[in-house]
Amino acid sequence: MRLLQLYSSHNIGKISLSISSSLRSEADTERYKDLRAVLQLLASLCSKDLVDFSSEPIEAQGTNICQVVYMGLHIVTPLISLDLLKYPKLCHDYFSLLSHMLEVYPEMITQLNGEAFVHIIKTLDFGLSQDAEVVDLCLRAIKGLASFHYKQKSAGEVGLGLHASGYKDQTGNFQEGILSQFLRSLLQFLLFQDYSTDLVGSAADALLPLILCEQTLYQKLGSELIEKQCDTGFRSRLTNALQSLTSSNSLSSTLDRPNYQKFRKNLHNFLTEVRGFLRKI
């Protein structure tokens, strides 16, 4: 914890957009090896890969891993610009941390201030357009967010609270909540973008809790897709495929391992059935 506090006091504000814009090659990112080291340390803590050699457990010393990762996230978030994420090593380290954090400690995301939360969501959206490894990490992070919210809401808790709710911005325009945004983005990605088939499993794991959280929007998006089909044969195939996606293999509304496996099979069959003709429209 003390190490992170020292890093914060010496580095906040010293890594700026103007500096990052001056980078000309991958080798230049070594200037940021201290930031990368912090990202890697936090990811290791979050994944419980770090071995504690002290005689006392961390909790006995007045600090727990969750608190350390939470503080670390507050420190690194303002230092990571979208320009910096264009550099592969730093990009991978950052999203590795984010995916680990949201899988292991998803409740921490609700403790971040609004600015930090919005920044993380923007970086996740950015990550979905990067290479396959980064996309996979982002999908795991989104799964962590959505599954946390769904389980919390099912237990009568607030989950992500206002972050998951739509709102009107300063101009009076309605802005969707983050889970609605990710549901739209992920369906668009799966149906119309080019990607490695190796990502379908991770995409399914993220899509299932998003659908469970945003069932009304999912139905609306499905109806919009169906209405766009001029060919009656395609319209019928899409209608049946959408129905099968959320009902085949005795799919339920739980988020346990067997249900995730069922949904992976359903999504694979769904994409095989409709992706070809949808991309021709």
Side-chain angles (χ1 to χ4, degrees):
M1 180 70 83
R2 179 57 181 162
L3 176 63
L4 291 174
Q5 291 170 337
L6 287 171
Y7 180 82
S8 175
S9 64
H10 285 86
N11 287 278
I12 289 296
K14 291 187 178 180
I15 299 179
S16 66
L17 181 61
S18 61
I19 294 176
S20 65
S21 297
S22 70
L23 298 177
R24 292 294 179 264
S25 68
E26 178 65 18
D28 289 328
T29 62
E30 292 306 315
R31 300 176 190 175
Y32 297 88
K33 61 184 179 181
D34 54 346
L35 177 56
R36 291 188 57 218
V38 171
L39 290 171
Q40 291 165 355
L41 170 64
L42 293 171
S44 295
L45 282 171
C46 213
S47 61
K48 302 185 186 301
D49 288 335
L50 191 67
V51 178
D52 179 27
F53 292 102
S54 65
S55 58
E56 293 182 293
I58 292 178
E59 286 77 4
Q61 301 171 29
T63 303
N64 61 47
I65 291 177
C66 184
Q67 289 175 333
V68 174
V69 176
Y70 173 62
M71 178 180 178
L73 191 67
H74 263 293
I75 291 170
V76 300
T77 295
L79 302 179
I80 303 292
S81 68
L82 294 184
D83 273 4
L84 277 174
L85 290 178
K86 294 176 182 178
Y87 297 94
K89 291 180 181 179
L90 193 63
C91 183
H92 179 272
D93 289 342
Y94 172 74
F95 285 111
S96 180
L97 167 64
L98 209 54
S99 65
H100 280 312
M101 186 206 74
L102 291 176
E103 287 178 305
V104 181
Y105 306 116
E107 69 280 0
M108 289 190 344
I109 197 75
T110 63
Q111 301 174 36
L112 296 175
N113 60 45
E115 184 178 354
F117 185 90
V118 169
H119 183 73
I120 285 176
I121 299 306
K122 286 182 178 179
T123 59
L124 281 174
D125 188 57
F126 171 85
L128 288 174
S129 63
Q130 302 308 301
D131 63 58
E133 188 173 7
V134 170
V135 172
D136 181 69
L137 291 171
C138 289
L139 290 171
R140 286 165 49 188
I142 293 170
K143 173 194 174 184
L145 269 178
S147 59
F148 166 74
H149 181 70
Y150 179 71
K151 290 175 181 178
Q152 286 280 294
K153 294 292 287 185
S154 297
E157 303 294 336
V158 297
L160 295 175
L162 294 177
H163 296 305
S165 304
Y167 64 94
K168 286 188 177 181
D169 61 22
Q170 295 179 341
T171 62
N173 295 319
F174 181 77
Q175 301 294 328
E176 290 183 323
I178 60 164
L179 298 180
S180 296
Q181 294 174 34
F182 281 132
L183 177 58
R184 284 184 183 274
S185 297
L186 189 48
L187 285 174
Q188 177 73 20
F189 173 81
L190 286 168
L191 292 174
F192 301 107
Q193 302 300 316
D194 293 319
Y195 53 84
S196 168
T197 55
D198 292 339
L199 291 172
V200 174
S202 296
D205 292 348
L207 184 59
L208 177 59
L210 285 173
I211 290 175
L212 292 175
C213 289
E214 301 290 342
Q215 295 186 44
T216 300
L217 176 61
Y218 171 71
Q219 294 294 334
K220 177 185 176 183
L221 295 175
S223 296
E224 290 175 354
L225 277 174
I226 292 170
E227 290 172 3
K228 290 179 181 178
Q229 309 308 309
C230 298
D231 185 288
T232 56
F234 288 164
R235 181 186 289 255
S236 177
R237 286 173 61 184
L238 180 56
T239 301
N240 293 335
L242 284 167
Q243 176 66 26
S244 296
L245 177 60
T246 54
S247 62
S248 291
N249 293 313
S250 301
L251 191 73
S252 69
S253 59
T254 59
L255 291 178
D256 54 21
R257 183 177 178 82
N259 213 47
Y260 274 119
Q261 292 299 323
K262 291 176 183 178
F263 189 72
R264 283 190 174 202
K265 293 179 181 178
N266 288 0
L267 181 60
H268 175 78
N269 293 336
F270 172 76
L271 294 175
T272 300
E273 175 66 13
V274 307
R275 186 171 146 85
F277 69 77
L278 283 178
R279 297 190 77 195
K280 294 179 181 178
I281 298 174

